[in-house]
Amino acid sequence: MTTRTAPSGQPDLAPVAGRPFGIYIHVPFCATRCGYCDFNTYTPTELGGSNPEGWLAALRVELRMAAARVGAVPVRTVFVGGGTPSLLGSAGLAAVLDAVRDNFELAAGVEVTTEANPESTSPEFFAALRKAGYTRVSLGMQSVAPHVLAVLDRTHSPGRALAAAAEARTAGFEHVNIDLIYGTPGESDDDLRRSVDAAVHAGVDHVSGYALVVEDGTALARRVRRGEIAAPDDDVLAQRYELLDTHLSEAGFEWYEVSNWSRPGGECRHNLGYWDGGEWWGAGPGAHGFLGATRWWNIKHPNAYAQALADGLVPVADFEELDPQARHLEDVMLRLRLRRGLACGDLTAGERARLAGLVADGLVDAAGERVVLTDRGRLLADGVVRTLLD
């Protein structure tokens, strides 16, 4: 894998015919910063004069540049993430989707998703989003236990995410996702059970469940380092994952990716594109994109991002060109996380030789010419990938 850095050169960004194409848009604004978050987000005091109106103007410029490079490729999925996209309000999010429509052709049946913080939503918000053309909403709930939310520095009340999910369903959203985090210090098995039950009873058709990770540089990492709270325990995380999977399975959800469960037809098509060889343009400060053999990531700070666009540049901070070996490694790593796994024929001779040991250890099933993680293999997915690729 070779890497070139901007501004010494900018990448040639062109899609490959036949691959699914989507657009990711990053909204970098948050009212407050959660203690575990290391995403490219900014609170009002950190923005240095940047504001949503200036961000949207710059985004429109980037989308025009993107359309000129991508050409007439239909957009199958749009995902607005962050940050907190719902801070833009329904009018702001409608303007974001209009900016996409102004520059790209949306495919028939396009999936259009936005993330939302429950506290910045309302019945009127969801109704306006649905009218604007959004088809899916993802709500950050994390937990219904107040003491767990307190450790995570989440500001919403435990019941607000559930009310927001019901409001979204009433507004006509067929696809509603709730995010959960498990393994937070102080969380009990019962806390997680109640969170899963609440999500199911809210009528959502998709649940994402993520093990808490203590990222360097976050407030949570500083608290762990000072000994105020314990770091997540790997054995506890595995136990909680099994609890989550069991409860969701009993409620009619199936895992389709290691950290994602849905009712039939509720899979997030945009995220499937990431795992299954699709391409996407990442727009907005710090957004990542992937076209052809090129992965790139944008300038992070909204002011510097906007200035690059004002100077006529695609706002790329850095990029890398993936050689065939690197692309193969990524394909194996990502597709093995999916319930449908990957074809045995896609593996090299050396990888197929190592496959037998993983089957014997009960970590993968290679029947039917596909390699699929077993339940135990899902708990050790990263190790399975390392063994297979070594």
Side-chain angles (χ1 to χ4, degrees):
M1 181 170 63
T2 59
T3 302
R4 296 169 55 197
T5 58
S8 60
Q10 288 206 326
D12 293 326
L13 301 178
V16 174
R19 287 186 189 167
F21 175 69
I23 293 176
Y24 171 77
I25 293 173
H26 187 72
V27 180
F29 309 112
C30 278
T32 61
R33 186 180 301 280
C34 297
Y36 60 91
C37 179
D38 71 337
F39 293 167
N40 186 46
T41 62
Y42 301 85
T43 63
T45 59
E46 298 169 333
L47 285 170
S50 180
N51 56 61
E53 292 76 20
W55 167 85
L56 181 57
L59 178 72
R60 289 191 177 104
V61 175
E62 184 182 1
L63 290 173
R64 284 198 296 272
M65 289 182 172
R69 286 159 175 79
V70 169
V73 179
V75 176
R76 300 190 188 185
T77 63
V78 179
F79 194 105
V80 184
T84 310
S86 49
L87 286 179
L88 300 176
S90 57
L93 284 168
V96 168
L97 186 52
D98 284 342
V100 176
R101 287 196 186 101
D102 289 344
N103 293 285
F104 291 91
E105 174 193 353
L106 300 188
V110 62
E111 176 190 84
V112 184
T113 305
T114 185
E115 295 177 341
N117 185 312
E119 292 295 333
S120 51
T121 64
S122 67
E124 295 76 19
F125 170 86
F126 290 117
L129 278 193
R130 192 69 191 91
K131 183 177 180 181
Y134 284 82
T135 66
R136 186 180 195 100
V137 63
S138 181
L139 298 164
M141 182 173 83
Q142 319 315 348
S143 176
V144 296
H147 60 279
V148 173
L149 295 176
V151 173
L152 296 174
D153 292 327
R154 295 289 294 185
T155 58
H156 64 80
S157 60
R160 178 56 207 153
L162 306 174
E167 291 163 5
R169 298 284 289 176
T170 299
F173 280 93
E174 181 180 356
H175 301 302
V176 180
N177 177 60
I178 275 183
D179 284 347
L180 297 176
I181 289 178
Y182 59 90
T184 302
E187 177 194 61
S188 67
D189 287 352
D190 282 342
D191 291 332
L192 182 56
R193 286 192 191 93
R194 289 190 296 108
S195 297
V196 176
D197 289 343
V200 169
H201 293 151
V204 303
D205 68 335
H206 190 290
V207 174
S208 300
Y210 303 109
L212 180 65
V213 176
V214 180
E215 301 285 1
D216 290 342
T218 62
L220 182 63
R222 291 190 289 272
R223 294 185 66 190
V224 170
R225 189 169 57 247
R226 291 194 297 263
E228 297 176 12
I229 56 176
D233 180 272
D234 287 343
D235 290 337
V236 171
L237 292 176
Q239 176 188 348
R240 297 278 160 73
Y241 180 88
E242 291 177 324
L243 187 158
L244 179 65
D245 182 55
T246 297
H247 254 51
L248 287 172
S249 297
E250 291 172 348
F253 289 72
E254 286 191 344
W255 76 278
Y256 69 95
E257 192 274 340
V258 168
S259 298
N260 290 273
W261 294 257
S262 74
R263 297 191 185 277
E267 300 89 346
C268 179
R269 289 192 279 127
H270 184 85
N271 287 343
L272 277 171
Y274 294 151
W275 298 310
D276 204 22
E279 298 185 317
W280 67 96
W281 188 285
H288 288 226
F290 181 75
L291 291 174
T294 304
R295 178 189 292 108
W296 77 95
W297 44 100
N298 279 351
I299 296 167
K300 283 189 170 185
H301 198 281
N303 290 341
Y305 162 81
Q307 185 59 56
L309 287 161
D311 293 339
L313 300 173
V314 179
V316 172
D318 207 349
F319 64 95
E320 57 191 12
E321 303 287 347
L322 302 186
D323 60 28
Q325 180 184 10
R327 185 61 198 268
H328 170 75
L329 295 178
E330 288 209 349
D331 283 346
V332 171
M333 178 181 69
L334 295 172
R335 289 178 178 173
L336 193 58
R337 293 181 63 86
L338 295 171
R339 185 183 184 92
R340 62 174 174 263
L342 71 157
C344 294
D346 290 339
L347 299 175
T348 66
E351 290 160 358
R352 287 196 295 272
R354 288 186 287 274
L355 188 58
L358 292 169
V359 172
D361 289 340
L363 297 173
V364 300
D365 181 353
E369 297 303 313
R370 297 195 72 81
V371 185
V372 179
L373 292 170
T374 63
D375 289 347
R376 180 166 174 260
R378 278 190 282 157
L379 294 172
L380 302 168
D382 291 343
V384 171
V385 169
R386 285 193 300 270
T387 299
L388 190 61
L389 294 175
D390 280 346

